[in-house]
Amino acid sequence: MRRKLAAGNWKMNGTSATLTELQALARSYPAATVDVLICPPATLLHRAADAVKGTEITVGGQNCHAAESGAHTGDISAEMLVDAGASSVILGHSERREDHGEQNEDVRAKARTAMDAGLKTIICVGESLEQREAANTLDIIGGQMSGSIPDQSTGENLIVAYEPIWAIGTGKVPTLNEIGEVHDFIRARLERRFGEGVGRSVRLLYGGSVKPSNAADIFAVSNVDGALVGGASLKAQDFSGIIDALQKA
Ligand code: PEP
């Protein structure tokens, strides 16, 4: 059985004051029946880890460097994330692919280092609107998966997030059939590459404008094991609506 996961990505949002949202979540879910992960900006990671101590909520990073350490001004290593209390790291988010030109091989190198450091890696894949309209979605996702996911992946250290770029922060969501088609495709690819056991144990998240009002429908789609949530993870009340829907799914 794959344990469901509600993961929040705060992106470049949040200062000390925002930790009250996390404290509220920690009070509401001392023992959730699903995994709950919040990925705040790196500046808050240590304090965020303290805020959720003693609960089942964990915290994670939004990126890490492919090297273990060294002369990389401004970057953060996987070991530093672990040291700050992170359980997980998001890699290959489309905003990093777009803003920083990250290629599949960069994501794969980061994922290897993160897995070696003991982090769970959430590897993001997703098509642009242009690619969807040209009926290239599955080719794009397949290419991103082969290029970004390392060979050492297991159901423990790998989570794949399907995030159509055109759905992120836009309020637009693919149809449930479209979400199901891509999730079934990702599952089949994982089983083919890693064998049925591992392929079936990797959790698959949907991400892109998930809100309390659409979460239950999305969580009913086959092979959707949870969500990666941006905007709606910033407020404890909104994120709680999503966690509650996942607990009922
Ligand atoms: C994201 O950036 O990972 C995301 C899914 O954002 P939003 O939920 O705001 O669309």
Side-chain angles (χ1 to χ4, degrees), residues 9 11 93 95 163 167-170 207-210 228-232:
N9 173 14
K11 311 190 185 192
H93 191 283
E95 286 154 14
E163 298 210 307
I168 295 178
T170 59
S209 297
V210 178
L228 179 54
V229 183

Side-chain angles (χ1 to χ4, degrees), residues 221-234:
V221 175
S222 82
N223 280 312
V224 173
D225 302 312
L228 179 54
V229 183
S233 70
L234 287 166

Side-chain angles (χ1 to χ4, degrees), residues 154-174:
T154 67
E156 255 305 297
N157 64 16
L158 175 68
I159 296 152
V160 179
Y162 167 52
E163 298 210 307
I165 299 169
W166 51 274
I168 295 178
T170 59
K172 293 183 193 147
V173 179

Side-chain angles (χ1 to χ4, degrees), residues 15-127:
T15 55
S16 306
T18 323
L19 287 171
T20 54
E21 298 296 328
L22 192 52
Q23 285 152 356
L25 266 190
R27 279 194 302 277
S28 304
Y29 300 98
T33 57
V34 299
D35 285 345
V36 178
L37 169 73
I38 291 287
C39 299
T43 47
L44 292 180
L45 199 47
H46 217 299
R47 279 178 292 164
D50 280 346
V52 298
K53 209 168 258 168
T55 74
E56 304 243 347
I57 302 175
T58 63
V59 297
Q62 299 176 12
N63 178 45
C64 70
H65 199 279
E68 282 176 22
S69 62
H72 302 289
T73 303
D75 275 310
I76 294 175
S77 73
E79 188 194 8
M80 290 170 186
L81 292 179
V82 173
D83 183 54
S87 66
S88 313
V89 61
I90 299 169
L91 293 173
H93 191 283
S94 60
E95 286 154 14
R96 295 225 41 107
R97 291 179 189 260
E98 275 175 20
D99 295 356
H100 301 273
E102 283 187 11
Q103 304 296 314
N104 289 328
E105 53 270 27
D106 302 316
V107 179
R108 189 186 187 109
K110 289 173 180 215
R112 270 199 229 110
T113 310
M115 288 174 177
D116 287 345
L119 290 167
K120 295 181 199 303
T121 60
I122 301 178
I123 297 184
C124 303
V125 296
E127 81 287 1

Side-chain angles (χ1 to χ4, degrees), residues 132 162 174-184 217 221-222:
R132 175 160 283 276
Y162 167 52
T175 65
L176 299 178
N177 279 345
E178 287 167 340
I179 294 174
E181 182 191 30
V182 176
H183 279 246
D184 289 350
D217 287 343
V221 175
S222 82

